Amino acid sequence: MPPPSRSSITGRPVMITGAASGIGRALARRLSRFGAPVAIADVDEAGLKETAASLGGMVLTRVLDVRDADDVHRFAGEVRGWLPAPLAAVFNNAGVAVTSTLLEADPDDDEWLWNINFHGVVNGTRAFLPLLVEQNEGAIVNTSSVYGLVGVPYQTAYCAAKFAVRGFTDSLRQELRRTGVRAVAIHPGGITTNIARNARVRKDPTGLGRTKDQLAAEFEAVTMTSPDKAAEIIHRGMERGKARILVGPDAYLIDALARLTPTHSYQAIMAVQKRLWAMRRSGR
Ligand SMILES: NC(=O)c1ccc[n+]([C@@H]2O[C@H](COP(=O)([O-])OP(=O)(O)OC[C@H]3O[C@@H](n4cnc5c(N)ncnc54)[C@H](O)[C@@H]3O)[C@@H](O)[C@H]2O)c1
């Protein structure tokens, strides 16, 4: 771990949404282990309790639906009252997935995703930013994806939301330039979490007839990064003062291909990834 910078989050209070599972849970555990008081929120009460029970230090838990702007504001007030020191980071991490062709997509599924993955991030930013600006320090950390860097098939709703998170965060960063507050975008590659199991999938969009569980198992087989490793990369990136954090080797590959060949990046990514997966399977 590099030495802490002025904007270090190590050992300082943080707020994390989507902390009942996956990346959010791993972040809560890691930052708590490094001495941070953590305020954790999620719609999944049972999962949130499990996360809380695994933390050693100071913790505030809150069942919260990030779609509910009023409740996110109430929660921000509660966090303000609970804080033992200035709030170092707000991780707007909660997210869901939908897999479908555009023509077969149920508009309700797409709205569900946009309300969580984009409006949830906006709600968290609007609710917590006044406190950070008042403190003149801290970070808004919004989770986009590699699918916020490139467009891929059967992910129109997800890509739209993750590109929106990236644009929202990049714009906010410029707006905050003369303040002590920063805006950070996280772009994970494939991370082995529950995201595919919790996704809305009505049918296999490729026509191969695979079930949602089979699609989730295939996703998990090709992910390259564990949630713990993702949390470590995000923590280190924050300590280095990065504005954009790529998570996992596939994220670096996709970012490079998106720059090299913006309109053909998906075909290039699939070709390179097939080789990498084959090498991984053969242990090379
Ligand atoms: N897993 C990956 O490969 C991957 C890749 C890129 C980006 N991401 C992003 O990382 C973030 C974390 O996802 P994950 O992979 O850990 O998935 P996960 O399913 O393991 O965790 C997501 C958490 O968000 C919570 N959540 C869902 N809807 C919510 C709501 N309305 N209000 C509050 N909480 C809600 C879930 O209950 C769950 O605990 C998401 O934004 C996701 O889009 C994941």
Side-chain angles (χ1 to χ4, degrees):
M1 183 66 58
S5 64
R6 195 185 82 82
S7 53
S8 171
I9 63 166
T10 301
R12 303 178 55 218
V14 297
M15 190 289 286
I16 305 166
T17 66
S21 174
I23 300 170
R25 170 179 279 178
L27 259 177
R29 285 184 175 156
R30 179 175 174 96
L31 297 177
S32 173
R33 216 171 48 245
F34 275 81
V38 290
I40 53 173
D42 204 291
V43 272
D44 172 6
E45 186 171 6
L48 197 59
K49 278 190 182 150
E50 263 181 48
T51 302
S54 69
L55 305 178
M58 192 176 164
V59 55
L60 173 73
T61 60
R62 173 65 141 78
V63 176
L64 178 76
D65 186 334
V66 296
R67 291 173 291 181
D68 183 342
D70 290 342
D71 206 28
V72 177
H73 271 92
R74 276 193 291 276
F75 176 51
E78 290 161 23
V79 170
R80 191 187 268 265
W82 162 86
L83 281 174
L87 185 59
V90 172
F91 288 92
N92 291 309
N93 161 80
V96 292
V98 169
T99 298
S100 176
T101 64
L102 179 69
L103 289 175
E104 290 170 324
D106 183 327
D108 287 346
D109 290 350
D110 288 359
E111 288 293 330
W112 171 71
L113 184 147
W114 288 328
N115 285 333
I116 296 169
N117 290 14
F118 180 56
H119 292 294
V121 167
V122 174
N123 291 339
T125 304
R126 285 191 174 138
F128 283 90
L129 187 59
L131 171 60
L132 301 190
V133 170
E134 219 175 273
Q135 295 175 172
N136 199 29
E137 66 174 297
I140 295 285
V141 191
N142 293 336
T143 303
S144 174
S145 168
V146 286
Y147 292 173
L149 302 172
V150 294
V152 297
Y154 319 126
Q155 293 293 328
T156 47
Y158 191 84
C159 285
K162 294 302 189 180
F163 270 80
V165 169
R166 171 186 167 193
F168 176 79
T169 310
D170 286 357
S171 172
L172 179 64
R173 180 177 316 117
Q174 304 312 321
E175 207 171 301
L176 292 172
R177 255 183 330 147
R178 283 180 185 74
T179 75
V181 182
R182 58 198 178 118
V184 180
I186 308 286
H187 296 275
I191 315 295
T192 323
T193 69
N194 290 318
I195 192 143
R197 305 219 170 250
N198 292 335
R200 289 194 182 174
V201 185
R202 293 177 191 269
K203 70 184 250 205
D204 182 346
T206 65
L208 292 175
R210 291 166 299 179
T211 63
K212 180 176 146 183
D213 281 350
Q214 284 171 323
L215 287 167
E218 284 181 22
F219 165 77
E220 284 156 16
V222 298
T223 54
M224 294 182 146
T225 308
S226 70
D228 286 346
K229 185 70 191 171
E232 181 191 331
I233 292 167
I234 294 167
H235 184 193
R236 285 177 181 271
M238 292 298 296
E239 296 309 285
R240 292 192 179 117
K242 285 188 171 186
R244 174 180 287 188
I245 301 176
L246 298 170
V247 183
D250 47 349
Y252 280 87
L253 173 69
I254 290 169
D255 182 48
L257 291 175
R259 290 164 200 263
L260 278 174
T261 169
T263 53
H264 293 88
S265 42
Y266 179 66
Q267 290 89 327
I269 289 160
M270 289 319 287
V272 177
Q273 278 201 334
K274 267 188 193 151
R275 276 179 164 257
L276 286 177
W277 294 332
M279 280 164 70
R280 207 161 63 130
R281 272 197 299 273
S282 68
R284 273 185 286 156

